[in-house]
Amino acid sequence: MEQSYSWENWALDKEMGEDEEEFLRDILSKPAFSSESESQAPVVSCSAKSKRAPMTYILSFDNSTITPAPSSPPTLEAQPGKRAKRASHIMAERKRRQQLTQSFIALSATIPGLNKKDKSSMLGKAIDYVKQLQERVTELEQRKKRGKESMIILKKSEANSEDCCRANKMLPDVEARVTENEVLIEIHCEKEDGLELIKILDHLENLHLCVTASSVLPFGNSTLSITIIAQVHIH
Amino acid sequence: MEQSYSWENWALDKEMGEDEEEFLRDILSKPAFSSESESQAPVVSCSAKSKRAPMTYILSFDNSTITPAPSSPPTLEAQPGKRAKRASHIMAERKRRQQLTQSFIALSATIPGLNKKDKSSMLGKAIDYVKQLQERVTELEQRKKRGKESMIILKKSEANSEDCCRANKMLPDVEARVTENEVLIEIHCEKEDGLELIKILDHLENLHLCVTASSVLPFGNSTLSITIIAQVHIH
DNA sequence: CTACACACGTGAGAC
DNA sequence: TGTCTCACGTGTGTA
């Protein structure tokens, strides 16, 4: 039993070729991270493009590069092309890995409730956040759509002359006041194609209303305030 | 030169202990994915908790598990506790890895413009999407805030304006809507002395509002519909 | 002590 | 051809 020690550290006292050792020196000459990057603040200070890694990395690099490398291909000497290939491959993979972790910490910076955790949990929380965010966006956009549709619905209800009380709950986009022979209509709508007044006047003509005064005022960047006064024809 | 072959496949014809070979059989007995998981639909069919992996995996598993394992600790026999530890470690790491990729494809399912790409690009696109979504949400919420502020201002003007409440024979209506730098005011009042507009403009001047458009339309015999758009001064 | 998570090096495939 | 990405097994540190 001359091999009584455990096998985990088999590579420590294993003989290796001089060129292989030199190759490992070359690889180690540019470490993935600097030596003093332990126990930094893991939360902030990173906005999508920082070069440093603020998370508390395990940094088992200085050992892992030496020990687990399968330097055991026996009697591999020479082959410098292969060696350069291997080195570039190692460096490329190292770069890819560290820019992936960089993207992860950028994600943790953009998403508010995402502090230190595993990457899988970070992704899961990010997915939940995205879903909740799109849900909120669709809800708000539907509320905005309600405003637009209320005008059309109220015009239809005017044509049917049934319910005027439906749209006066949420947003008073259309208001109408009638006297015995006149009607005052106020409309707030989004500025769309510049044909809003023509459409409205066409509707009023179908309703046998004779327009006597009108005012179209722009409000904000995309809103119109339209006021129309028309005479009611009585047969 | 009895070692003329390349060193990459050094492990293929390397002798190994019988228990080690058996250990590799045990590891291989539960592969990471089933054998027929090649060329499935990579886009959909995954919503945050699916068990199968729909991406087209490279599946270089059956070779990689055999070849790069450092089976070269020479004459490692027995030590079943160590072997079980190693197997559980391998399985745990495998599970962790595959649930991380699962989270990645779940992310690609939740984010609309995210199809096949590298993981770093996926994360970058996800971050951009999240930022754009947050921006949209804040914009829409500010819109909603504007609506509520308009109602607040309306109630305040109703409470403070004794001018319009003085002649409350029918309904002296005042409505206001504000954006970030503009205000739209609509007033319905009785036609009294022909100085209504001057009074209102004087009030607005005291409020540091710069009128940019106005419309005064007669409605009926004794009613006015006044619409005013003014710029808000921000100090 | 067990379990978990991470970074590492490495071979294989895709473009 | 070379470059890029990926899954794998492994060592190591932390809870």
Side-chain angles (χ1 to χ4, degrees), chain B residues 14-23 71 73 75-77:
Chain B
K14 185 174 261 304
E15 76 279 37
M16 53 176 66
E18 305 167 6
D19 50 349
E20 186 70 11
E21 187 176 10
E22 171 194 7
F23 166 71
S71 60
T75 73
L76 107 112
E77 52 252 295

Side-chain angles (χ1 to χ4, degrees), chain A residues 32 57 65 86 89-90 94 97 118-119:
Chain A
Y57 284 110
T65 43
R86 189 151 76 107
H89 183 26
I90 290 178
R94 200 176 281 176
R97 225 172 331 183
D118 357 7
K119 293 178 180 173

